[in-house]
Amino acid sequence: MAQLTEREEKFLAYWKENRQREKKLTRQLLFGLPLGLVFVIPILLNFFSGWYKRANMWARGHEEDSTGGVLLVAGLIIIVFIAIFSKRHRWDQNEQNYRELEARRARDGGIPGDAAKVD
């Protein structure tokens, strides 16, 4: 059977050391924020640019509805959701890859019993 590549060995070493740190919610939120902003900033720019005159007139005519405030709160919710979801999904992918490589290493005559120690 094929042995693990150097890149796979480096990934195994990195993930074994950093997997718990990468799983923390605060870290996922912090490093996922740029992706969330990529989704929300164009929406806010579109809304506040005033290019659609009818919507702009409606928003100014109903200021007591605080449409802008609702949009900002919705934007924050979208940012947080995308930030956490994307980083958590990436963590799951890395964890699955780690487990598969550990199992392959154990199967191919690497360190016996290493696949059982994944958790």
Side-chain angles (χ1 to χ4, degrees), residues 8-100:
E8 291 170 336
E9 289 289 346
K10 284 181 181 180
F11 172 76
L12 283 173
Y14 168 79
W15 198 247
K16 187 173 188 175
E17 185 174 320
N18 294 306
R19 63 198 279 207
Q20 291 303 320
R21 184 176 55 154
E22 295 282 334
K23 191 175 184 177
K24 292 182 181 172
L25 183 65
T26 54
R27 184 171 177 87
Q28 290 175 349
L29 180 62
L30 183 65
F31 285 97
L33 281 178
L35 182 61
L37 289 172
V38 165
F39 281 92
V40 172
I41 286 177
I43 295 170
L44 294 178
L45 287 175
N46 186 24
F47 181 77
F48 290 116
S49 69
W51 69 272
Y52 186 46
K53 301 298 180 201
R54 275 180 88 181
N56 205 12
M57 288 185 330
W58 184 87
R60 287 197 178 127
H62 296 83
E63 288 184 19
E64 67 278 355
D65 292 343
S66 67
T67 307
V70 170
L71 190 61
L72 289 175
V73 169
L76 287 174
I77 291 170
I78 291 169
I79 289 171
V80 169
F81 174 78
I82 289 176
I84 292 173
F85 179 80
S86 66
K87 290 303 285 183
R88 193 157 289 189
H89 177 67
R90 185 71 190 146
W91 187 90
D92 285 338
Q93 287 178 327
N94 285 339
E95 183 69 12
Q96 180 179 356
N97 190 24
Y98 174 77
R99 289 174 183 256
E100 289 172 359

